[in-house]
PDB file of all heavy atoms in Angstrom:
ATOM      1  N   GLY A 125       2.357  19.512  -4.356  1.00 94.00           N
ATOM      2  CA  GLY A 125       2.496  18.147  -3.901  1.00 94.00           C
ATOM      3  C   GLY A 125       3.862  17.893  -3.322  1.00 94.00           C
ATOM      4  O   GLY A 125       4.746  18.755  -3.330  1.00 94.00           O
ATOM      5  N   CYS A 126       4.047  16.690  -2.806  1.00 93.00           N
ATOM      6  CA  CYS A 126       5.313  16.330  -2.185  1.00 93.00           C
ATOM      7  C   CYS A 126       5.469  14.814  -2.214  1.00 93.00           C
ATOM      8  O   CYS A 126       4.508  14.071  -2.380  1.00 93.00           O
ATOM      9  CB  CYS A 126       5.372  16.829  -0.744  1.00 93.00           C
ATOM     10  SG  CYS A 126       4.081  16.156   0.321  1.00 93.00           S
ATOM     11  N   SER A 127       6.691  14.378  -2.051  1.00 94.00           N
ATOM     12  CA  SER A 127       6.952  12.963  -1.869  1.00 94.00           C
ATOM     13  C   SER A 127       6.815  12.626  -0.392  1.00 94.00           C
ATOM     14  O   SER A 127       6.940  13.482   0.478  1.00 94.00           O
ATOM     15  CB  SER A 127       8.359  12.603  -2.367  1.00 94.00           C
ATOM     16  OG  SER A 127       9.352  13.211  -1.553  1.00 94.00           O
ATOM     17  N   THR A 128       6.541  11.357  -0.110  1.00 95.00           N
ATOM     18  CA  THR A 128       6.404  10.878   1.259  1.00 95.00           C
ATOM     19  C   THR A 128       7.083   9.508   1.345  1.00 95.00           C
ATOM     20  O   THR A 128       7.599   8.999   0.353  1.00 95.00           O
ATOM     21  CB  THR A 128       4.928  10.740   1.663  1.00 95.00           C
ATOM     22  OG1 THR A 128       4.307   9.742   0.835  1.00 95.00           O
ATOM     23  CG2 THR A 128       4.182  12.055   1.488  1.00 95.00           C
ATOM     24  N   THR A 129       7.045   8.917   2.525  1.00 93.00           N
ATOM     25  CA  THR A 129       7.621   7.588   2.680  1.00 93.00           C
ATOM     26  C   THR A 129       6.700   6.501   2.137  1.00 93.00           C
ATOM     27  O   THR A 129       7.095   5.351   2.047  1.00 93.00           O
ATOM     28  CB  THR A 129       7.924   7.295   4.158  1.00 93.00           C
ATOM     29  OG1 THR A 129       6.730   7.471   4.915  1.00 93.00           O
ATOM     30  CG2 THR A 129       9.004   8.211   4.683  1.00 93.00           C
ATOM     31  N   GLY A 130       5.477   6.855   1.803  1.00 94.00           N
ATOM     32  CA  GLY A 130       4.513   5.901   1.276  1.00 94.00           C
ATOM     33  C   GLY A 130       3.125   6.499   1.329  1.00 94.00           C
ATOM     34  O   GLY A 130       2.931   7.647   1.748  1.00 94.00           O
ATOM     35  N   SER A 131       2.124   5.722   0.929  1.00 93.00           N
ATOM     36  CA  SER A 131       0.763   6.235   0.916  1.00 93.00           C
ATOM     37  C   SER A 131       0.217   6.497   2.311  1.00 93.00           C
ATOM     38  O   SER A 131      -0.653   7.348   2.486  1.00 93.00           O
ATOM     39  CB  SER A 131      -0.167   5.252   0.183  1.00 93.00           C
ATOM     40  OG  SER A 131      -0.267   5.616  -1.172  1.00 93.00           O
ATOM     41  N   SER A 132       0.691   5.763   3.311  1.00 94.00           N
ATOM     42  CA  SER A 132       0.186   6.007   4.660  1.00 94.00           C
ATOM     43  C   SER A 132       0.494   7.424   5.103  1.00 94.00           C
ATOM     44  O   SER A 132      -0.369   8.142   5.609  1.00 94.00           O
ATOM     45  CB  SER A 132       0.777   5.000   5.643  1.00 94.00           C
ATOM     46  OG  SER A 132       0.285   3.701   5.380  1.00 94.00           O
ATOM     47  N   GLU A 133       1.736   7.865   4.922  1.00 95.00           N
ATOM     48  CA  GLU A 133       2.072   9.247   5.273  1.00 95.00           C
ATOM     49  C   GLU A 133       1.318  10.221   4.377  1.00 95.00           C
ATOM     50  O   GLU A 133       0.827  11.257   4.848  1.00 95.00           O
ATOM     51  CB  GLU A 133       3.577   9.488   5.156  1.00 95.00           C
ATOM     52  CG  GLU A 133       3.968  10.897   5.581  1.00 95.00           C
ATOM     53  CD  GLU A 133       5.422  11.243   5.339  1.00 95.00           C
ATOM     54  OE1 GLU A 133       6.154  10.429   4.735  1.00 95.00           O
ATOM     55  OE2 GLU A 133       5.831  12.353   5.744  1.00 95.00           O
ATOM     56  N   ALA A 134       1.194   9.901   3.089  1.00 96.00           N
ATOM     57  CA  ALA A 134       0.467  10.782   2.173  1.00 96.00           C
ATOM     58  C   ALA A 134      -0.983  10.943   2.611  1.00 96.00           C
ATOM     59  O   ALA A 134      -1.546  12.046   2.552  1.00 96.00           O
ATOM     60  CB  ALA A 134       0.540  10.227   0.750  1.00 96.00           C
ATOM     61  N   CYS A 135      -1.618   9.850   3.061  1.00 97.00           N
ATOM     62  CA  CYS A 135      -3.001   9.939   3.543  1.00 97.00           C
ATOM     63  C   CYS A 135      -3.088  10.788   4.793  1.00 97.00           C
ATOM     64  O   CYS A 135      -4.046  11.550   4.983  1.00 97.00           O
ATOM     65  CB  CYS A 135      -3.549   8.531   3.807  1.00 97.00           C
ATOM     66  SG  CYS A 135      -3.828   7.555   2.313  1.00 97.00           S
ATOM     67  N   MET A 136      -2.118  10.645   5.694  1.00 96.00           N
ATOM     68  CA  MET A 136      -2.103  11.481   6.898  1.00 96.00           C
ATOM     69  C   MET A 136      -2.050  12.960   6.525  1.00 96.00           C
ATOM     70  O   MET A 136      -2.772  13.793   7.085  1.00 96.00           O
ATOM     71  CB  MET A 136      -0.892  11.129   7.767  1.00 96.00           C
ATOM     72  CG  MET A 136      -0.864   9.716   8.283  1.00 96.00           C
ATOM     73  SD  MET A 136      -1.981   9.444   9.648  1.00 96.00           S
ATOM     74  CE  MET A 136      -1.689   7.688   9.927  1.00 96.00           C
TER      75      MET A 136
END
Side-chain angles (χ1 to χ4, degrees):
C126 60
S127 67
T128 64
T129 55
S131 267
S132 292
E133 183 187 6
C135 290
M136 298 283 179

